[in-house]
Amino acid sequence: MLIHVIPARQHVEVRQVDDLKRFSVTVVGEASEEELERALTPLARLESRTHAWVYIDRLRAACGRGDDAAWSQTFEAMVGFAASKGWVDESGTALRAHLVYESAAD
C-alpha cells in the first residue's frame, strides 16, 4: 500500500490497496515541511522529513475496502505486524510510514 502525495497540489491518495506487504508515503516534488503537512492532513501527521504517522481508521476508510471481510482481516494483520515492530504510535491509532521522495518529472 502506498500513499501518494503531491504537496504542490495539496493532493493525497492511497494506491495499491491490495498490496498490504508494503507501506510508505511517496512525496512527489519539492515541498517545505509546512506544505507537506498540509497535503497529508487529514490522513496523516508529519513526524519529520523522513517519517509520518498515518491514522489507521482514516487509512482504512480511504482504501474503500471496508466491506471486504478478507481484505479487512489482512489489513488488521498488517497493523498487528506493524505493532510488533514498534511502528504504531502510543495511542494505537497511527502507523509510522517512511517517506520516499520523487522528483515531479518522474
Side-chain angles (χ1 to χ4, degrees):
M1 179 180 308
L2 303 174
I3 298 171
H4 190 80
V5 183
I6 305 173
R9 296 184 190 163
Q10 295 297 296
H11 177 80
V12 62
E13 69 178 303
V14 181
R15 296 181 174 180
Q16 300 178 18
V17 299
D18 292 324
D19 184 355
L20 297 172
K21 299 218 183 267
R22 294 189 305 156
F23 186 66
S24 64
V25 175
T26 299
V27 179
V28 180
E30 295 191 25
S32 68
E33 285 190 26
E34 294 80 18
E35 292 168 324
L36 184 52
E37 180 78 42
R38 277 194 306 273
L40 285 171
T41 302
L43 189 60
R45 69 182 185 274
L46 190 64
E47 176 186 68
S48 67
R49 299 267 326 151
T50 59
H51 292 92
W53 290 102
V54 180
Y55 302 110
I56 295 167
D57 289 344
R58 295 175 190 179
L59 177 62
R60 183 189 336 260
C63 290
R65 300 289 303 273
D67 293 339
D68 181 336
W71 183 89
S72 292
Q73 184 176 15
T74 305
F75 182 88
E76 288 303 319
M78 177 190 77
V79 171
F81 177 78
S84 76
K85 298 295 184 182
W87 301 331
V88 175
D89 70 353
E90 292 178 5
S91 68
T93 61
L95 299 172
R96 191 167 192 241
H98 183 76
L99 274 62
V100 177
Y101 291 86
E102 292 182 359
S103 70
D106 288 350

